[in-house]
Amino acid sequence: MMASLSDVENSITTSTLPYSYAPLPNGEQPAGNDRPVHSSRKTALFLVSVFLAVASLVALFAGNGPVLPKNLNTSAVPSTAGMPEKVVPLSRGVEKGVSEKSFHPLLGADNSFPWSNNMLDWQRTAFHFQPKKNWMNDPNGPVFYNGWYHLFYQYHPDAPVWGKIVWGHAVSKDLINWRHLPIAMETDEWYDEQGVWTGSATILPNGELVVLYTGSTNESVQVQNLAYPADPSDPLLIKWVKYPGNPVLVPPPGIDNKDFRDPTTAWKTPEGKWRITIGSKINKTGISLVYDTEDFKTFELLDGLLHAVPGTGMWECVDFYPISKQGENGLDTSVDGPGVKHVVKASMDDDRNDYYAIGTYDAYKGKWTPDNPTLDVGIGLRYDYGIYYASKTFYDQNKQRRVLWSWIKETDTEASDIKKGWASLMGVPRTIVLDKKTQSNIIQWPVEEINLLRTNLTVFKNVVVESGSLVPLNLPSASQLDIVAEFEVDKKTVERLNVADIAYDCAKNGGAAQRGALGPFGFSVLAHEGLAEHTPVYFYVAKGVDGNLQTFFCADQSRSSNANDVDKSIYGSIVPVLKGEKLAMRILVDHSIVESFAQEGRTCITSRVYPTKAINNNAQLFLFNNATATKVTASVNVWQMNSAHV
Amino acid sequence: MKSSPLTILFLVLLFQENLFSATADRLLIENTCKGTPSYNLCLSVLLADPHSQNADLTGLAIIAVYAVKNNGYQTLQQIEALKKFHPELMAALTQCGEVYKGVVDVDVPLSINALNLGNPKFAEDGMADTAVESQACERSFQDHAQTSPMTNANKAMEDVANVARAIIRMLL
């Protein structure tokens, strides 16, 4: 049969990729009465048909049609915490004592780059969880089981940068001292060949332990897999078995193959089934899918979502757990009832921060609603205003508390990480409870076991720090510290003050060198004696036009190091301070990580600091008050911190 | 042979088919580049690689990362040449050599790996790191109170890295 010209035309102009297949013409001439075809026309038609055939085959094998990028805005590349910024503080005038020059690097300062072994060796921490070498990221499957705390983690065994990830494993009796164990799960199946990614553990009522984790398959599809201990009677749970029927979940229709990861710990439904949630996205709306299961092998996708927030992008490492309205203890993940609120937390892929919101869970519908939609997941409160990502909680039935783990990445260059041979830490684990006083946020506090490392207490009581002055605190050493302090500003000054402060923002207002009437004041940690390098952690009190005070809590890395290849951002946020409360601060200093807590854990900031001079015996601690209008009275307890087995 | 209308039609259809698929891929490339800070640079980088004709967004990101790699190699050669003719700049140039080696040996493989393994977030980190390293090289001259002979090269690297980073962000 001869393909007509119009057919050929139509197949090109009207079809979309891949092209419809036009049959090759029968080359033979039928015998009989058909008009003979001119040979050139025949040749042309044959060539066209062959071309179409080849074209359609090529289109078939070349893949799908064009994939439009999801963001067509011409916005500039957003600056994230990974990019250091040069901060130029504005001066309000030099006051007595601390001149602004002290908060600037000395002109013509020695260039400390490149990094010496001495500088790099110092960066390793004394009491933060980290593998002996190479790269770590998300915490996985934290659980207390058979007398041991287990921590698994995303681990790249081959280099201090991310790569083909396996599950590292360590155990502890006290969340502080750790015994490193062999790798728990490798990339040895097709369904996790490109990575054994993040997952969570669930303890079943009969005492069994199961793990659900994401595998990146040999084709880069994200699937969920089931694994369990090979020998449940082994208290160290060294060997693990992957369920032969894996994967147990694949991306459902409408969900992209690369937007389906990080299954949560399961909790019980009113029907007695198990329920999990998995983060994802649809276009730019971050969502959390809900699955029910009875055996962790077959799952039923619920029709609705646990929750969704437009514009937040992909939700990684979703976490979902109850908190007690009245009690001081944590709650098992399955607990529900009138005395309970629920937290939804997600790690936002777009801005690398962990956000949470408090709300109400409807167990029958499998839906959660935030108490305050303006502070919804991804647009409201963060666990931490510094470097803190991919965090995950577990219920510690040993001490009846909910414990939070988080990945703290490096903010130096990859090249430095290669040089020093390791990258990333876990933050000190924190307990989480509802803030009973505000009822609208959680409180995080380092687990009490960390206090066991305290030694050699030095007390500084009622130190008056005049406006614009710096007080060195005489300590045996200053790289491993636990600092607990209270501050009081001069009440009369505050009342008299009738100059309203301009709007303050930790990140944008010039750091600790930018002086206001009532701040900044606090500590300079990892400080060199000439303040060529130092890291201020401070309060900034701002009096608004309405006379109300707002307190900001910030950590300033802009002068933390002479090196020119480390992040020098300033982090922080408002911290609620209630009537009658003193300003309270706790800082854990552990070499290249500083964890700061305000108002008993209402606002937290984790920083990575890489000084070149303020290391070893040259690291010092100062109190400072850069406020122009008030003196500050500080009472401080400083402990030296022993090293743990990490 | 006789120039028949069919031959002409054949050639037109051939052309049109090419144009059709070329237009579709060109549209992807143009739209992608609109989302980067340097539209023209992005276009030239992507169009310079014939693989961009049939690439999806991940493929375009990989092409951009390879452009960073090539840029890195060229800059390393430039550094070697500068060392010969400007020994007074040796200290800063040595530092620049180290950081650009980092770009080529660490950042680029990390980004390619992350794109291939399906976790673009870490690919973004690699390109962000590249921009940091190029800025560090530029500053190392200032730190030695010298004028940088590499300002254009460092800016060029920063720009390409930021283009790659912007494309990678579209995959998040």
Side-chain angles (χ1 to χ4, degrees):
Chain A
M1 180 195 83
M2 200 167 71
S4 77
L5 289 171
S6 57
D7 284 348
V8 162
E9 249 177 57
N10 285 342
S11 76
I12 294 175
T13 56
T14 60
S15 75
T16 54
L17 293 168
Y19 295 109
S20 53
Y21 178 73
L24 286 170
N26 186 338
E28 284 178 343
Q29 292 275 15
N33 304 331
D34 284 353
R35 246 176 32 204
V37 179
H38 289 162
S39 67
S40 65
R41 177 184 274 195
K42 221 170 110 178
T43 313
L45 278 171
F46 179 69
L47 283 173
V48 167
S49 309
V50 167
F51 179 78
L52 284 175
V54 170
S56 63
L57 281 172
V58 166
L60 215 61
F61 284 115
N64 301 326
V67 174
L68 285 176
K70 280 152 187 142
N71 175 11
L72 299 184
N73 298 330
T74 51
S75 51
V77 173
S79 131
T80 70
M83 308 190 66
E85 287 173 2
K86 226 185 171 98
V87 175
V88 181
L90 303 162
S91 169
R92 287 198 190 182
V94 176
E95 295 291 333
K96 62 176 187 274
V98 176
S99 76
E100 65 178 50
K101 214 158 168 222
S102 307
F103 277 73
H104 290 229
L106 298 169
L107 287 169
D110 297 359
N111 182 33
S112 54
F113 179 93
W115 294 94
S116 71
N117 285 337
N118 197 25
M119 296 168 192
L120 295 176
D121 288 346
W122 174 89
Q123 291 175 10
R124 241 188 119 77
T125 69
F127 54 87
H128 283 75
F129 181 87
Q130 53 181 131
K132 298 271 174 265
K133 55 179 183 160
N134 291 326
W135 166 277
M136 166 173 72
N137 53 294
D138 310 3
N140 299 149
V143 69
F144 180 80
Y145 189 75
N146 265 349
W148 287 90
Y149 289 100
H150 290 263
L151 178 67
F152 303 89
Y153 52 94
Q154 297 284 277
Y155 183 52
H156 186 209
D158 300 331
V161 293
W162 186 88
K164 213 176 237 199
I165 290 290
V166 302
W167 270 35
H169 186 194
V171 289
S172 170
K173 284 287 187 185
D174 59 7
L175 289 174
I176 301 299
N177 296 288
W178 292 89
R179 191 204 287 204
H180 292 281
L181 296 178
I183 288 169
M185 290 197 283
E186 313 243 21
T187 55
D188 51 13
E189 295 289 345
W190 67 268
Y191 50 76
D192 56 23
E193 187 187 288
Q194 297 195 358
V196 184
W197 288 358
T198 289
S200 308
T202 307
I203 303 180
L204 308 185
N206 60 5
E208 269 181 62
L209 182 66
V210 295
V211 152
L212 287 172
Y213 72 94
T214 300
S216 185
T217 70
N218 54 358
E219 312 246 317
S220 295
V221 178
Q222 292 166 14
V223 299
Q224 316 313 324
N225 303 306
L226 171 65
Y228 35 84
D231 178 6
S233 66
D234 166 22
L236 299 185
L237 300 180
I238 290 183
K239 289 206 177 299
W240 286 76
V241 167
K242 297 175 185 175
Y243 169 55
N246 279 334
V248 295
L249 275 176
V250 299
I255 296 295
D256 192 276
N257 287 344
K258 296 191 180 151
D259 294 339
F260 186 61
R261 54 186 181 273
D262 313 332
T264 63
T265 294
W267 65 94
K268 280 283 195 174
T269 70
E271 293 91 26
K273 297 185 192 174
W274 290 102
R275 180 167 287 168
I276 62 168
T277 187
I278 302 179
S280 182
K281 69 171 157 102
I282 294 177
N283 295 326
K284 270 299 177 189
T285 297
I287 66 172
S288 207
L289 304 160
V290 186
Y291 287 90
D292 283 0
T293 180
E294 300 193 60
D295 56 3
F296 291 86
K297 294 171 182 169
T298 53
F299 291 79
E300 173 206 337
L301 173 64
L302 265 57
D303 273 334
L305 304 168
L306 182 70
H307 194 55
V309 181
T312 52
M314 175 69 188
W315 284 12
E316 301 193 286
C317 299
V318 170
D319 199 3
F320 177 74
Y321 55 88
I323 50 176
S324 171
K325 280 186 187 166
Q326 313 295 346
E328 282 312 307
N329 286 341
L331 299 174
D332 179 279
T333 315
S334 294
V335 167
D336 198 359
V340 162
K341 307 281 315 172
H342 277 81
V343 171
V344 169
K345 167 262 166 188
S347 296
M348 298 298 144
D349 205 5
D350 283 1
D351 76 1
R352 307 300 145 72
N353 292 313
D354 281 4
Y355 290 81
Y356 78 95
I358 300 173
T360 305
Y361 170 56
D362 180 335
Y364 293 94
K365 293 196 186 134
K367 287 195 163 309
W368 172 93
T369 320
D371 285 348
N372 183 349
T374 63
L375 295 179
D376 209 338
V377 180
I379 61 173
L381 298 174
R382 283 164 53 176
Y383 273 162
D384 188 294
Y385 289 87
I387 304 295
Y388 206 80
Y389 195 68
S391 62
K392 183 184 287 298
T393 65
F394 72 102
Y395 176 61
D396 170 11
Q397 69 274 27
N398 184 35
K399 290 199 168 180
Q400 294 177 49
R401 53 186 175 178
R402 182 150 292 266
V403 177
L404 172 70
W405 280 104
S406 184
W407 168 41
I408 316 295
K409 67 173 184 184
E410 301 297 309
T411 59
D412 61 359
T413 57
E414 311 273 4
S416 289
D417 298 345
I418 299 282
K419 223 174 170 184
K420 72 197 191 195
W422 61 271
S424 298
L425 310 168
M426 293 294 177
V428 167
R430 303 172 180 175
T431 53
I432 289 187
V433 292
L434 175 68
D435 186 344
K436 308 298 185 295
K437 295 184 196 163
T438 64
Q439 290 284 320
S440 56
N441 56 270
I442 56 165
I443 279 193
Q444 301 161 63
W445 198 243
V447 290
E448 60 186 7
E449 287 91 335
I450 199 77
N451 300 355
L452 298 171
L453 297 177
R454 287 172 166 174
T455 183
N456 212 341
L457 168 64
T458 314
V459 181
F460 305 89
K461 210 156 164 63
N462 294 327
V463 179
V464 175
V465 192
E466 297 290 351
S467 162
S469 64
L470 195 64
V471 176
L473 298 179
N474 196 8
L475 297 167
S477 162
S479 295
Q480 295 172 210
L481 300 176
D482 188 354
I483 306 167
V484 175
E486 275 178 359
F487 294 86
E488 267 189 278
V489 279
D490 186 46
K491 282 199 187 68
K492 288 206 194 82
T493 308
V494 174
E495 276 154 29
R496 266 191 287 123
L497 209 64
N498 54 14
V499 178
D501 226 312
I502 55 171
Y504 191 82
D505 182 323
C506 288
K508 298 178 190 153
N509 278 67
Q514 168 89 349
R515 311 187 63 183
L518 302 175
F521 56 86
F523 291 96
S524 265
V525 305
L526 297 174
H528 195 247
E529 62 179 352
L531 287 194
E533 295 179 335
H534 67 123
T535 301
V537 177
Y538 57 91
F539 287 115
Y540 184 98
V541 181
K543 190 168 186 182
V545 182
D546 54 3
N548 283 334
L549 296 177
Q550 267 191 338
T551 306
F552 293 81
F553 183 55
C554 319
D556 177 1
Q557 278 71 237
S558 63
R559 307 284 177 253
S560 59
S561 174
N562 282 345
N564 59 16
D565 59 353
V566 297
D567 189 351
K568 295 187 178 172
S569 304
I570 305 166
Y571 310 130
S573 172
I574 282 187
V575 55
V577 178
L578 303 182
K579 201 164 181 177
E581 286 181 356
K582 285 200 187 140
L583 294 176
M585 200 193 281
R586 181 179 184 183
I587 308 177
L588 289 170
V589 180
D590 187 6
H591 297 262
S592 61
I593 182 171
V594 177
E595 293 189 63
S596 309
F597 303 84
Q599 300 313 98
E600 308 294 316
R602 253 181 222 144
T603 297
C604 313
I605 308 174
T606 302
S607 313
R608 298 305 308 277
V609 183
Y610 307 95
T612 64
K613 291 175 144 63
I615 63 175
N616 297 321
N617 292 333
N618 294 321
Q620 293 187 29
L621 180 67
F622 291 87
L623 267 173
F624 78 93
N625 175 13
N626 237 5
T628 57
T630 178
K631 70 177 192 291
V632 163
T633 310
S635 290
V636 186
N637 284 356
V638 185
W639 288 268
Q640 300 292 308
M641 291 296 267
N642 279 329
S643 302
H645 286 118
V646 287
Chain B
M1 82 184 171
K2 227 167 32 170
S3 161
S4 88
L6 275 173
T7 315
I8 297 172
L9 180 70
F10 161 62
L11 290 170
V12 167
L13 291 174
L14 194 75
F15 225 50
Q16 191 177 26
E17 155 120 9
N18 263 340
L19 275 176
F20 190 80
S21 61
T23 314
D25 296 312
R26 175 81 188 213
L27 193 62
L28 169 65
I29 293 172
E30 284 175 0
N31 284 335
T32 301
C33 287
K34 279 182 193 154
T36 73
S38 312
Y39 177 74
N40 289 327
L41 173 63
C42 172
L43 267 189
S44 69
V45 160
L46 294 182
L47 293 176
D49 188 327
H51 292 111
S52 65
Q53 293 301 315
N54 297 310
D56 60 6
L57 196 53
T58 301
L60 293 180
I62 290 176
I63 291 172
V65 173
Y66 276 124
V68 167
K69 177 162 100 163
N70 290 336
N71 209 312
Y73 277 127
Q74 285 172 26
T75 309
L76 282 168
Q77 287 177 338
Q78 184 186 354
I79 290 170
E80 287 311 301
L82 284 168
K83 278 181 183 172
K84 283 200 201 105
F85 293 108
H86 292 278
E88 75 279 9
L89 301 175
M90 187 60 69
L93 286 170
T94 306
Q95 290 167 11
C96 285
E98 278 198 29
V99 305
Y100 273 95
K101 210 163 173 309
V103 166
V104 163
D105 289 344
V106 181
D107 292 334
V108 165
L110 168 63
S111 293
I112 298 292
N113 211 13
L115 288 166
N116 283 331
L117 293 176
N119 204 327
K121 164 167 89 250
F122 295 104
E124 183 186 357
D125 286 350
M127 291 297 100
D129 197 68
T130 299
V132 169
E133 297 284 31
S134 67
Q135 290 163 1
C137 163
E138 187 65 12
R139 258 182 246 134
S140 66
F141 292 100
Q142 294 160 24
D143 291 342
H144 286 89
Q146 293 172 322
T147 309
S148 164
M150 291 183 61
T151 305
N152 288 339
N154 286 327
K155 185 72 171 60
M157 176 56 97
E158 193 184 334
D159 288 345
V160 177
N162 283 336
V163 162
R165 182 181 180 181
I167 300 177
I168 293 167
R169 277 199 70 79
M170 298 172 196
L171 291 164
L172 291 177

